[in-house]
Amino acid sequence: MLVKKDGVFTGFIKVHFQLVRPVSLPPAQSCCSTPEEAHQTRRRSRRTSFYLPKDTAKHLHISCRTRVLEVIEALLKKFMVVDSPAKFALFERTERQSQVYMRKLSNDERPLCLRLCAGPSEKALSLILKENNSGEINWDAFSLPELCNFLRFLQREEEEHVRQIVKRYALAREKLTQALVRMTTQKDKNDPRR
């Protein structure tokens, strides 16, 4: 830890990653001879998504003034992740009397101060980066290609549901028609005028 003359101190925090979903990297850079080729390459290239290995952790050197959102942005930048920082949240994990407690940190909290107040034990406090699952989907946090992909999935799901409903009603209509045919043929056989 280092204390500056103005009273600001800096130090290291360790952040553990517990991500369930893949993260996205920018498209690979290629050296093209003309600006037109570079533009065409950028249009064709797609982002790469991958899963971070379990138990990934990263040390960050930050100041006592660094807030949670800045920590998330710095972590994403270190791993070259292009996903929106709004998709992620920083949690504090504490362990007391064999119980584990998780608390989502607000964007205004200062992780280095929390770490120092808790002491050196990781059982007392550890920092975890996870997906931001607030229960409500923040659609603004997704890129245009991701949103288009969601729409395609929803469209396929809707089409499948419509197919199932149409099939069920067609089967019911067929059974009703067969029942009507049987009833009319039985009625005709039982009719004494015939």
Side-chain angles (χ1 to χ4, degrees):
M1 179 147 50
L2 179 67
V3 179
K4 297 180 182 176
K5 290 180 183 177
D6 61 357
V8 174
F9 53 91
T10 60
F12 284 92
I13 60 168
K14 182 178 182 181
V15 180
H16 299 270
F17 290 76
Q18 286 184 359
L19 302 176
V20 178
R21 293 183 221 126
V23 293
S24 299
L25 296 178
Q29 298 291 325
S30 65
C31 49
C32 299
S33 57
T34 67
E36 291 172 11
E37 288 177 358
H39 179 69
Q40 289 295 327
T41 303
R42 272 195 302 275
R43 280 186 37 199
R44 280 181 289 190
S45 61
R46 296 181 181 200
R47 297 191 309 186
T48 303
S49 295
F50 73 99
Y51 289 93
L52 282 174
K54 287 188 176 199
D55 301 325
T56 300
K58 194 71 178 166
H59 289 87
L60 275 181
H61 188 256
I62 61 172
S63 82
C64 62
R65 293 184 179 160
T66 306
R67 298 181 188 277
V68 167
L69 187 58
E70 295 168 300
V71 168
I72 293 171
E73 289 170 347
L75 289 167
L76 297 179
K77 187 176 179 182
K78 274 194 176 239
F79 282 99
M80 297 187 325
V81 173
V82 294
D83 293 325
S84 169
K87 287 185 184 180
F88 303 94
L90 200 60
F91 288 80
E92 105 181 337
R93 180 187 183 275
T94 56
E95 205 173 311
R96 290 186 298 255
Q97 300 166 350
S98 301
Q99 290 286 329
V100 175
Y101 301 93
M102 295 283 281
R103 180 179 74 89
K104 181 179 172 182
L105 300 176
S106 71
N107 285 340
D108 292 334
E109 292 187 72
R110 295 183 168 103
L112 183 59
C113 297
L114 292 172
R115 173 77 262 158
L116 290 173
C117 291
S121 171
E122 286 211 3
K123 284 188 175 188
L125 181 133
S126 58
L127 299 169
I128 314 255
L129 183 74
K130 297 174 76 173
E131 283 90 0
N132 190 6
N133 294 329
S134 60
E136 189 175 311
I137 298 173
N138 180 9
W139 294 110
D140 296 330
F142 293 95
S143 67
L144 186 60
E146 289 172 319
L147 291 171
C148 290
N149 216 15
F150 287 138
L151 287 175
R152 273 194 296 272
F153 283 127
L154 290 173
Q155 181 71 32
R156 287 182 196 152
E157 234 176 79
E158 181 183 1
E159 288 169 357
E160 180 59 31
H161 283 295
V162 168
R163 267 194 296 276
Q164 289 174 358
I165 291 169
V166 167
K167 185 177 178 180
R168 186 172 28 181
Y169 280 97
L171 186 61
R173 184 182 302 113
E174 185 179 322
K175 287 181 180 181
L176 281 172
T177 306
Q178 289 172 357
L180 283 171
V181 167
R182 275 195 307 268
M183 288 177 70
T184 54
T185 55
Q186 283 180 350
K187 187 179 177 186
D188 288 345
K189 287 181 184 177
N190 296 337
D191 191 1
R193 290 181 276 166
R194 290 194 148 212

